[in-house]
Amino acid sequence: MARIAGVNIPTNKRVPIALTYITGIGPHIAEQICESVKIDRARRVNQLSDAEVLAIREYIDANLTVEGDLRREVSMNIKRLMDLGCYRGLRHRKGLPVRGQRTHTNARTRKGPAKAIAGKKK
């Protein structure tokens, strides 16, 4: 099992697909990594030599922000917005959608499960 950036990547998948299991690496970046390290996209992770895995690991360490560092950076950016008290920070603080989505209906992912409101009394 290959371990890159603190993540055990699956051994029976193709290299570009397996690299997407690392937070911060999507399909496009995974293809770029394969190109720069000169690894065929059709090869599987269990077919890689230790030198090739090391080359991938070194490329990622040198050129990309992934996993814990990326999560820390994103959370610091959100914390900065909340400390500033800007509109986006207030939306983060209240747990509401940040990017202008409607909240009259929908937005259940951000707002949580619906809360029942007392019905009309007779």
Side-chain angles (χ1 to χ4, degrees):
M1 178 163 293
R3 189 166 176 84
I4 300 174
V7 176
N8 294 328
I9 61 175
T11 55
N12 56 348
K13 293 190 183 289
R14 292 188 307 112
V15 176
I17 304 301
L19 286 175
T20 61
Y21 280 66
I22 300 170
T23 302
I25 297 179
H28 183 69
I29 300 292
E31 296 282 344
Q32 286 180 347
I33 292 170
C34 290
E35 268 181 36
S36 62
V37 183
K38 294 179 179 59
I39 292 176
D40 184 29
R41 292 180 184 88
R43 290 181 64 193
R44 308 226 172 230
V45 175
N46 56 10
Q47 297 171 342
L48 295 177
S49 67
D50 289 338
E52 290 170 326
V53 172
L54 184 65
I56 291 173
R57 192 177 297 133
E58 287 174 351
Y59 179 85
I60 289 172
D61 288 341
N63 300 313
L64 299 172
T65 305
V66 292
E67 282 300 319
D69 294 335
L70 181 63
R71 286 194 182 102
R72 190 175 310 107
E73 189 176 320
V74 169
S75 67
M76 289 300 291
N77 288 341
I78 292 171
K79 186 178 181 315
R80 179 181 53 82
L81 290 172
M82 292 192 314
D83 291 343
L84 284 173
C86 65
Y87 183 77
R88 281 172 56 203
L90 295 176
R91 303 296 283 184
H92 274 292
R93 200 180 300 162
K94 292 178 183 176
L96 292 169
V98 177
R99 298 185 177 180
Q101 298 92 332
R102 69 178 299 149
T103 57
H104 179 70
T105 60
N106 305 332
R108 290 276 54 117
T109 302
R110 279 296 285 185
K111 291 167 68 174
K115 298 165 195 75
I117 299 173
K120 190 170 121 179
K121 302 268 174 146
K122 289 193 176 180

